[in-house]
Amino acid sequence: MFSYDTSWQPPAPCVRLCIFDNRLGVRLGPFPALVDTGADCSCLPKSIRSSAPRLDYEFAQVLDFNGQTSTMEFVRILDATVELLDGRSTVRLRKSYSNLRLLVVSDGILGRDILNQHAVSLIGPGLRWNIE
């Protein structure tokens, strides 16, 4: 189980992520990420981008939540291992994924590209969430 982050108002499900590009031997994170079941893809914070210049970056058109189209930067990781860490930096889930396409934005987001491969429970009244 993971705890909600009470610094958000209202409190929100968050996690610390560590993403490995197994092909290039690059580690991204750990970094905080909001669990967002409405986000099509997971996102890397821009602060991580500067520490990993060797990754495969590309630009693509995206439609944001306001219906606006813009060109955004993505990183493609063909062979990834993603770790979800709890508040004590204990790895609670480690799984391999192929062909991740992560949007580069201001804050980390764990989106449906990863969440849909798991059973996720949000226990709002208890300020806890779980992923299996």
Side-chain angles (χ1 to χ4, degrees):
M1 282 264 173
F2 296 87
S3 298
Y4 275 39
D5 184 340
T6 56
S7 68
W8 287 74
Q9 287 307 314
C14 293
V15 67
R16 292 186 55 74
L17 292 179
C18 196
I19 301 174
F20 300 88
D21 184 320
N22 298 318
R23 187 174 58 91
L24 297 176
V26 175
R27 176 184 170 160
L28 304 169
F31 59 88
L34 174 70
V35 177
D36 188 345
T37 61
D40 291 337
C41 68
S42 296
C43 303
L44 286 177
K46 287 181 182 176
S47 60
I48 294 290
R49 200 268 186 237
S50 61
S51 67
R54 296 181 14 222
L55 294 175
D56 296 327
Y57 292 96
E58 60 189 46
F59 289 87
Q61 292 287 322
V62 297
L63 185 66
D64 69 17
F65 61 92
N66 288 325
Q68 301 294 323
T69 302
S70 59
T71 301
M72 301 289 293
E73 185 177 33
F74 285 85
V75 62
R76 183 176 301 275
I77 302 178
L78 297 176
D79 178 17
T81 299
V82 177
E83 293 179 343
L84 279 68
L85 295 84
D86 65 15
R88 290 181 260 192
S89 295
T90 302
V91 175
R92 295 293 182 179
L93 180 79
R94 178 183 291 122
K95 186 169 192 272
S96 295
Y97 303 88
S98 56
N99 200 25
L100 281 184
R101 195 165 178 234
L102 307 166
L103 183 61
V104 179
V105 296
S106 58
D107 298 309
I109 294 175
L110 180 59
R112 288 194 319 265
D113 55 341
I114 293 175
L115 294 172
N116 282 355
Q117 298 184 45
H118 300 276
V120 178
S121 302
L122 302 175
I123 304 112
L127 300 179
R128 312 221 16 104
W129 72 279
N130 197 32
I131 185 169
E132 299 174 358

